[in-house]
Amino acid sequence: MDINMLPAGIPVPASVVKAQAALDAAWDRYGEAQIEYADALDDGYLERAQARDAAAAKAATLAGKAVPKGESEVSRVTALRGTAVGVIEALEQQIRAAGAVVRRAWVASLPELRERVVEALKASEAQAEEAEREYYRTRGAIRTAVSALSAVDHMERGRPGNAPVFTSSPADNGSLIQLGRDWLKVNTISVDPGDFIRVRIDDRIRELPAETAEKLISAGVAARLDDA
């Protein structure tokens, strides 16, 4: 089970944390050994050792010096190969054993985790239902306010009863706020530009109430585009 799958507020069991730390440490040792014994572990290690010996002999000959004697790269990596393979195999065995401990720790904690996750699911469902109700209440309030502004405008122009009613729904990737304001512009009804601020959040441009937008801008969540 992935640690990141747990809902917010549910901690990873202590036994899992301990076992995972041991597994991570085993992987660290494995990585360090791969670096330490790289010359003797890589595919073609012998050919590369021969190439290094050849390069050293060539450089010495061209410089008029004696060709290096003693231990060559080939003899060094050949002697190191057995040790490297043994170390890596041992570390791989430790990683498998540590991974098994992590799995057992998860399995032992599953009954308790199930109860907590079920509780988190019920709470999230309740929050989602309330958020949905609030969403539709807000949409209704936007439609009512836009329509009311249209009625006020027509009354001011001496044409009571002729005001159109705003009933649009957001198109894909749109917002009811933007549609409402665009509808008012089409009907030549002005809105105080200070009521809303255009901002960029991630890669999306949103038009938000000024108070909300200012809070998001101050928190660094949104970037101001303009005040119109």
Side-chain angles (χ1 to χ4, degrees):
M1 183 174 180
D2 189 343
I3 289 176
N4 296 321
M5 290 177 62
L6 290 178
I10 298 181
V12 178
S15 59
V16 174
V17 172
K18 181 179 178 180
Q20 185 64 50
L23 177 58
D24 292 343
W27 274 111
D28 289 342
R29 292 192 296 271
Y30 181 81
E32 292 167 358
Q34 287 281 358
I35 295 172
E36 181 179 355
Y37 297 107
D39 286 348
L41 289 172
D42 291 344
D43 293 338
Y45 73 96
L46 191 57
E47 289 79 2
R48 280 192 290 275
Q50 291 171 339
R52 291 194 295 273
D53 283 339
K58 180 179 179 179
T61 301
L62 290 174
K65 299 179 180 179
V67 175
K69 302 295 183 181
E71 182 177 330
S72 65
E73 280 292 289
V74 170
S75 62
R76 183 182 70 81
V77 298
T78 300
L80 190 61
R81 175 71 177 183
T83 299
V85 171
V87 169
I88 292 300
E89 288 180 350
L91 291 173
E92 289 174 345
Q93 183 175 333
Q94 290 178 353
I95 287 172
R96 289 191 294 271
V101 174
V102 171
R103 288 190 292 274
R104 288 195 296 270
W106 272 119
V107 170
S109 64
L110 290 181
E112 180 182 353
L113 276 179
R114 174 184 290 276
E115 293 183 7
R116 301 196 64 177
V117 171
V118 168
E119 292 174 359
L121 175 60
K122 292 179 179 179
S124 296
E125 288 174 340
Q127 291 173 357
E129 290 173 355
E130 177 56 32
E132 186 174 11
R133 287 192 291 269
E134 180 61 24
Y135 170 69
Y136 283 107
R137 284 196 294 268
T138 302
R139 284 161 60 99
I142 292 172
R143 289 195 177 94
T144 298
V146 172
S147 298
L149 185 56
S150 172
V152 169
D153 181 82
H154 276 64
M155 290 183 68
E156 288 179 340
R157 298 182 191 184
R159 295 183 299 175
N162 294 326
V165 176
F166 175 63
T167 59
S168 299
S169 296
D172 290 342
N173 300 321
S175 74
L176 192 63
I177 292 176
Q178 186 61 54
L179 284 174
R181 290 172 66 80
D182 290 344
W183 183 87
L184 290 169
K185 291 176 183 177
V186 168
N187 288 276
T188 65
I189 301 171
S190 63
V191 181
D192 180 0
D195 291 344
F196 290 85
I197 295 177
R198 294 178 70 245
V199 297
R200 183 185 299 277
I201 301 176
D202 294 329
D203 294 328
R204 298 185 63 185
I205 295 176
R206 304 289 299 275
E207 189 168 13
L208 301 175
E211 182 178 357
T212 300
E214 292 293 354
K215 290 180 180 178
L216 294 177
I217 292 169
S218 299
V221 174
R224 184 191 306 272
L225 293 179
D226 56 47
D227 292 331

